[in-house]
Amino acid sequence: MPEGAYRWFVYAELVLAAVTFVALCFIVAPYGGRHGRTGWGPTVPARVGWVVMEAPASILFLVFYLLGEHRGELVPLLFLLLWQAHYVQRAFIYPLLMRSGSRMPVAVMLLAILFNLLNAWVNARWISEYGSYPVAWLADPRFWIGVVLFVVGYVLNVSSDRILRKLRGDGSSGYRIPHGGGFRLVSSPNYLGEIVEWTGWAIATWSLAGASFALYTIANLAPRAMANHRWYRDSFPDYPADRRALLPYVL
Ligand code: NDP
């Protein structure tokens, strides 16, 4: 870890993960339709909110990456590719495909932008400036274990979001019980996929920067997965009893 301000940004992200986890155990963040509530100030269509809050994670990451001394090296470039594979789809494809008429509080959107700014700085600066990833890192099992987890998580995340979209293929706007894919085992396989992805990123980069994002993702999505699960059980008397919230057979 370098001396100077950078390390404090990483520590800040770790503290934020802990604060987020505790806060979200008491409040369900109102950025989606089913947990939406009044009293959070002005709102924007969810589709707009997703683009505005997630675009910085792609664009600023690229800008911060390009500031780094190692920007032209193979392994950092591969990390850039993984990051952009996720965030280009999250910021520019997912919002266009989503079938949701829900609205997002501007406050939630602004908080997400601030987090994405911090997270992009912490991770991009690590992979292209402060970290060291010579070509020999490609022979390290941590790199490949991490990349495989990232890809598996990505596929689970995207395919689960697709199953949810298909539930509204007839143009309806209500909620149904999702079936198939990861939904056979858990209520929020999209969140599980996201968590597996960033755990893979943490392992492949073997860095505190990556670990802080993985921990933040767990802190953010685990309480939300529990809230989704409770909501399904309360809303559908015939909800599959053996389906868990987030971790197959466990939680
Ligand atoms: P949800 O699973 O709550 O909703 C995803 C979409 O599917 C929404 O459009 C929602 O509609 C719709 N939907 C959900 N359940 C049903 C159902 N039973 N029947 C019909 N439609 C349904 O996901 P989030 O909105 O919380 O998150 C979206 C994506 O963003 C996920 O892939 C998640 O992993 C990712 N994410 C990542 C975070 C991170 O920290 N890295 C943080 C937050 C999200 P509606 O809007 O009307 O409810």
Side-chain angles (χ1 to χ4, degrees), residues 65-250:
Y65 177 91
L66 291 173
L67 297 175
E69 214 179 296
H70 306 298
R71 60 183 174 266
E73 293 175 16
L74 178 62
V75 180
L77 280 169
L78 290 174
F79 287 140
L80 174 68
L81 187 72
L82 290 182
W83 186 279
Q84 294 296 346
H86 177 89
Y87 273 111
V88 167
Q89 115 80 28
R90 170 68 66 236
F92 305 113
I93 300 174
Y94 172 77
L96 297 185
L97 297 176
M98 71 193 287
R99 292 184 170 136
S100 172
S102 64
R103 298 185 67 85
M104 180 185 292
V106 172
V108 169
M109 191 181 79
L110 292 177
L111 284 175
I113 292 172
L114 282 181
F115 172 75
N116 280 330
L117 174 66
L118 173 70
N119 192 39
W121 179 262
V122 161
N123 280 280
R125 293 296 284 160
W126 180 261
I127 63 166
S128 80
E129 176 74 16
Y130 301 122
S132 168
Y133 298 104
V135 175
W137 187 244
L138 293 178
D140 193 303
R142 286 169 291 184
F143 177 79
W144 289 107
I145 292 168
V147 169
V148 168
L149 282 176
F150 188 96
V151 173
V152 168
Y154 181 87
V155 170
L156 179 61
N157 177 260
V158 172
S159 62
S160 306
D161 280 339
R162 188 183 311 125
I163 290 174
L164 288 176
R165 265 197 312 275
K166 281 189 177 163
L167 294 175
R168 291 180 179 163
D170 57 0
S172 63
S173 59
Y175 294 91
R176 293 178 185 166
I177 300 176
H179 291 284
F183 289 100
R184 278 191 285 262
L185 298 174
V186 294
S187 295
S188 297
N190 48 352
Y191 296 174
L192 176 60
E194 186 106 19
I195 289 170
V196 170
E197 257 184 280
W198 298 113
T199 303
W201 172 267
I203 294 171
T205 61
W206 206 250
S207 63
L208 197 55
S212 66
F213 185 28
L215 287 173
Y216 179 84
T217 304
I218 295 168
N220 196 10
L221 294 182
R224 194 169 179 82
M226 304 308 289
N228 283 351
H229 193 60
R230 277 195 302 274
W231 178 90
Y232 274 121
R233 288 192 155 177
D234 292 345
S235 309
F236 298 99
D238 54 338
Y239 196 67
D242 54 349
R243 198 178 285 186
R244 299 302 175 122
L246 183 64
L247 286 181
Y249 310 111
V250 180

Side-chain angles (χ1 to χ4, degrees), residues 49-66:
W50 277 99
V51 176
V52 174
M53 76 182 181
E54 299 293 333
S58 169
I59 297 166
L60 291 179
F61 188 94
L62 180 62
V63 172
F64 298 154
Y65 177 91
L66 291 173

